[in-house]
Amino acid sequence: MKRANSLISCLLFSWITASAQSAQQPYILNGSATQQSCNCYVLTPDQLQSSGSVWNKNKISLLQSFDYTFEIYLGCKDQAGADGMGFVLQTKGTNLGGNGQGLGFKGISPSVGILVDTWHNADENDPAFDHLSIQINGVSNHAAPENIAGPTQLLAGKDNIEDCQWHLFRIRWNATAHQLDVWVDGQLRQSVVKDLVGEVFGNDPMVFWGFAAATAGASNLQQFCAALRPKFQFNGGQIFCDGTPVTFLDNSSSFGRITRWYWDLGDGTQLRDPLPQPHLYPEAGKYEVKMVIEDNSGCISDTLKNTVTIGSYPEADFGHDTLCTGAPLQLNDASTVEVGTLGKWRWDFGGGKTSTAQHPVAPYTAPGTYSVTLETTSEEGCGDAVTKDITVYPTPEISATAAHACIGEPTILRAANRTPAITIADWYWEIDGKETIHRQNTGFRFPERGTYAVTAQAISDDGCAAKPIALEAKVTDIGLEAGRDTVVSRGQPLQLHAVATGTNLQYRWWPSTGLSDPSSPETIAVPDRDQLYRLTVRSPEGCVQEDELMVKVYTGPEFYVPTGFTPNNDGVNDRFRVIAPGVTQLSFFRVWDRWGKIVWESKSLSDHWNGEVNGSPASAGTYVWIVEGTDYTGRKFSRRGTVTLIR
């Protein structure tokens, strides 16, 4: 609904109450039309098959120019809403109107209708959008010759005017030029040049004017107001700062003549002048300005409220972290203002270089001290300036190395200052993203082989950080295994197989006597006595590792089996096993108790009996065993005997 009842304004401003109560309304209402306030009327409620009209009972002369401003409201329903309204000039009287798509204009002749059409009637050649047209003699078909202007969109760039909003509707007749212009929301939407008196009204210049509207199978709340819209603004270009007068401009809209004004400037100042003189507020702050107007019909507007901010003057300031060459020289605005909002910044770096960013990067590239000026201005136009010296410090350059290391040895990390004139206050290394060592040269022991990321960094006495040097520290672990201790028969060839990690490794077996290739990881030995073999391996990086294995040489091939054992877990003679030099494969190794029951067996030369049967300790006593296998020549043979289990 449009506006609060004007009685509210009357209560607030009793000085216009008497005139409002005595105002004579110049309108005649027909059909569904109702008066909502002093200057506002409903033409159709949101009901089907409804029509209403409101006519000014006083004729006007079209020999005189007029400029009328209204506010129109077409409802909230778009697709389901209808039908529209028209502003009509006619000579027939004040009891006219009609239903449906004619908008209350159809059939009135002679007449001029400015039609606001919100329904698409194909039989009248309506466009799909809500449209405006100027028609004559009660004909609303756009294809008829009575359509003298339009149709065109009511709202520029928008198809729908049924948007729950009030819209300004201005109609201006220039009697001299015979030109009729129509504006919607301040934009010219339709214009026509026509001698309305001579070509439409048969040389009778006296006409009634009013609004008519209708609905049919769809409906909307449709209403209008004889415009009474208070509006003020401030003189363009002025500032709103403490100690500066504020100049007001009145841009109010009214159908009739504005006869009274009421101003409340928010600081206790109340005026009844058409326009306040430039006003000086007592101090910075936010003030609520109120304005009410009354027109010559006695109607009173709503109270327009608008807040004006009188800003305090800001205090310009800025700061920065350490400024170093080679890095962005970031300056940070630190200006403050008690009342208002900072909105503009202007930095002067000298030499014609400036910036309007709030937090700029200074343009200097060389070390030195520079004078910088910051001018800051609030959105209210209040400004302040500050000049400071800033110092740009040189940034050091460093180099660094990470030496290769062998497992178990520290990786040597060294750094050097390539700019001796710049003193380094702190050196530090970041080790694989986990540890930091504050030292120029250091060593770090990595736990296992691999390639690790290390970064050398340095900070100057002035706080400038050198560009970090990222390095890779490589740690080598050959992981040498010469093999397990073993037994062989005298004269039996033994394949030695070393395991190591890396490429281009150098191998050396010692003693080399009897070896097929002492410099290969794969070599064949034929020892004739017990022999300890040592293997040394060297990587291309210089890492050296050693390992050894013991070869026991027996007369054989043969099975050597002990005659007794004591499984008491004292670490001495706890297991019963066979030593089989020259035997490459075991067929079986079995143990029976005295009743002929197998208590243990295996087919592995490395296996042993722990003196248990089914997980429980076996009884002390004598047990029988048999072992069978194949020697390295392919001969199969066996041995048998007894063993005493002692507890």
Side-chain angles (χ1 to χ4, degrees):
M1 293 294 293
K2 175 72 174 94
R3 318 278 186 175
N5 192 290
S6 63
L7 180 58
I8 298 175
S9 297
C10 294
L11 292 173
L12 290 173
F13 311 115
S14 59
W15 57 277
I16 53 179
T17 300
S19 62
Q21 291 175 339
S22 62
Q24 298 295 317
Q25 297 302 323
Y27 297 105
I28 295 175
L29 282 61
N30 300 292
S32 61
T34 57
Q35 184 174 6
Q36 295 300 295
S37 64
C38 181
N39 60 320
C40 295
Y41 299 85
V42 170
L43 295 170
T44 67
D46 189 4
Q47 296 176 1
L48 305 179
Q49 306 298 334
S50 176
S51 67
S53 60
V54 176
W55 301 99
N56 191 295
K57 61 186 179 183
N58 301 310
K59 284 187 174 182
I60 61 172
S61 173
L62 294 181
L63 299 179
Q64 306 264 332
S65 299
F66 66 79
D67 191 345
Y68 291 163
T69 301
F70 303 94
E71 292 183 90
I72 58 174
Y73 182 93
L74 280 302
C76 297
K77 298 187 294 186
D78 182 11
Q79 298 299 325
D83 274 359
M85 67 175 67
F87 174 84
V88 183
L89 303 172
Q90 49 86 15
T91 59
K92 293 298 184 180
T94 56
N95 61 347
L96 306 178
N99 291 328
Q101 65 190 53
L103 308 179
F105 162 75
K106 193 171 185 177
I108 300 177
S109 181
S111 65
V112 175
I114 300 173
L115 304 186
V116 177
D117 197 338
T118 59
W119 186 263
H120 180 208
N121 293 299
D123 60 331
E124 294 206 334
N125 298 287
D126 287 348
F129 47 80
D130 295 347
H131 52 281
L132 177 73
S133 63
I134 302 177
Q135 318 268 142
I136 62 174
N137 297 332
V139 177
S140 54
N141 191 323
H142 299 307
E146 288 82 1
N147 190 127
I148 60 174
T152 188
Q153 274 183 318
L154 276 158
L155 301 178
K158 186 177 179 182
D159 289 348
N160 177 42
I161 198 173
E162 299 159 291
D163 56 5
C164 294
Q165 302 293 321
W166 286 89
H167 299 275
L168 275 179
F169 188 58
R170 180 185 175 195
I171 302 165
R172 185 178 68 182
W173 166 247
N174 186 319
T176 302
H178 296 167
Q179 181 167 328
L180 185 63
D181 298 318
V182 183
W183 284 264
V184 179
D185 289 340
Q187 292 188 319
L188 182 64
R189 305 307 295 155
Q190 202 56 265
S191 184
V192 66
V193 176
K194 193 173 184 67
D195 181 3
L196 301 183
V197 175
E199 297 182 40
V200 179
F201 293 111
N203 294 316
D204 181 2
M206 303 305 294
V207 297
F208 294 104
W209 67 266
F211 279 88
T215 66
S219 63
N220 245 331
L221 172 63
Q222 302 179 121
Q223 49 191 333
F224 81 96
C225 295
L228 189 60
R229 179 182 286 189
K231 184 178 181 181
F232 66 86
Q233 66 185 55
F234 303 101
N235 190 20
Q238 70 177 309
I239 64 174
F240 297 86
C241 300
D242 188 13
T244 303
V246 175
T247 301
F248 295 84
L249 298 177
D250 181 10
N251 289 332
S252 301
S253 302
S254 174
F255 170 76
R257 179 172 53 86
I258 300 175
T259 57
R260 298 190 186 187
W261 293 260
Y262 175 80
W263 296 84
D264 183 338
L265 302 186
D267 62 349
T269 303
Q270 296 181 351
L271 304 170
R272 300 181 185 181
D273 302 328
L275 195 65
Q277 293 296 314
H279 184 69
L280 182 63
Y281 282 91
E283 60 183 358
K286 295 182 182 292
Y287 299 89
E288 185 178 62
V289 179
K290 301 175 184 177
M291 180 190 188
V292 175
I293 58 176
E294 179 187 4
D295 68 8
N296 58 349
S297 69
C299 292
I300 303 168
S301 73
D302 286 345
T303 301
L304 173 65
K305 300 178 181 180
N306 198 357
T307 298
V308 59
T309 299
I310 305 301
S312 58
Y313 282 86
E315 184 175 342
D317 193 13
F318 64 91
H320 55 81
D321 294 330
T322 302
L323 303 176
C324 305
T325 58
L329 307 180
Q330 183 67 60
L331 303 182
N332 301 308
D333 169 55
S335 303
T336 57
V337 62
E338 289 188 14
V339 180
T341 304
L342 294 175
K344 293 181 181 179
W345 297 263
R346 185 181 185 279
W347 301 77
D348 189 339
F349 301 108
K353 296 181 179 180
T354 62
S355 173
T356 57
Q358 183 179 4
H359 307 293
V361 173
Y364 311 118
T365 57
T369 298
Y370 301 89
S371 180
V372 177
T373 298
L374 167 62
E375 297 177 5
T376 182
T377 306
S378 69
E379 292 182 356
E380 293 71 32
C382 314
D384 188 32
V386 64
T387 300
K388 288 184 177 183
D389 286 342
I390 65 171
T391 300
V392 180
Y393 297 100
T395 297
E397 295 183 22
I398 62 172
S399 60
T401 58
H404 170 267
C406 304
I407 193 68
E409 299 175 355
T411 296
I412 304 303
L413 305 174
R414 297 186 183 279
N417 185 2
R418 298 180 61 186
T419 48
I422 303 174
T423 304
I424 301 297
D426 185 24
W427 296 87
Y428 61 100
W429 294 82
E430 289 186 358
I431 310 296
D432 202 31
K434 299 176 182 178
E435 298 186 45
T436 301
I437 300 176
H438 286 268
R439 199 172 299 137
Q440 180 177 358
N441 301 312
T442 187
F444 186 82
R445 198 182 306 273
F446 291 96
E448 57 187 23
R449 72 165 65 95
T451 300
Y452 298 86
V454 296
T455 304
Q457 301 187 57
I459 302 292
S460 72
D461 279 348
D462 299 317
C464 293
K467 181 179 179 181
I469 305 296
L471 303 169
E472 288 186 342
K474 185 177 180 182
V475 178
T476 297
D477 181 3
I478 298 174
L480 176 62
E481 293 183 7
R484 298 178 60 181
D485 294 346
T486 188
V487 296
V488 295
S489 298
R490 185 172 286 107
Q492 177 187 353
L494 174 63
Q495 177 69 61
L496 300 181
H497 173 71
V499 176
T501 300
T503 58
N504 300 319
L505 301 177
Q506 297 177 3
Y507 295 84
R508 184 173 69 85
W509 292 90
W510 185 89
S512 60
T513 303
L515 297 181
S516 62
D517 186 355
S519 62
S520 171
E522 307 282 342
T523 187
I524 297 175
V526 187
D528 58 0
R529 62 179 182 273
D530 293 351
Q531 183 64 61
L532 178 66
Y533 288 101
R534 291 187 175 88
L535 174 61
T536 301
V537 177
R538 181 184 296 273
S539 73
E541 298 84 7
C543 295
V544 176
Q545 290 185 8
E546 293 184 348
D547 196 15
E548 60 185 25
L549 78 156
M550 181 67 187
V551 179
K552 296 284 290 184
V553 178
Y554 292 85
T555 301
E558 187 56 83
F559 292 111
Y560 295 93
V561 182
T563 59
F565 71 112
T566 56
N568 56 5
N569 295 318
D570 65 354
V572 179
N573 201 27
D574 286 325
R575 303 291 183 261
F576 177 56
R577 60 179 299 176
V578 63
I579 297 175
V583 176
T584 59
Q585 183 176 355
L586 187 66
S587 301
F588 61 84
F589 183 24
R590 297 190 183 111
V591 179
W592 288 266
D593 62 18
R594 59 183 176 175
W595 293 284
K597 181 181 178 181
I598 296 177
V599 296
W600 179 82
E601 67 177 326
S602 177
K603 293 183 178 180
S604 172
L605 286 169
S606 62
D607 210 350
H608 58 265
W609 182 36
N610 62 1
E612 294 181 357
V613 178
N614 297 325
S616 299
S619 301
T622 301
Y623 293 81
V624 177
W625 56 266
I626 299 178
V627 62
E628 179 181 282
T630 303
D631 67 15
Y632 70 90
T633 65
R635 177 177 67 91
K636 182 175 289 189
F637 67 103
S638 64
R639 297 287 185 268
R640 69 174 59 211
T642 60
V643 62
T644 301
L645 190 157
I646 303 171
R647 290 198 182 276

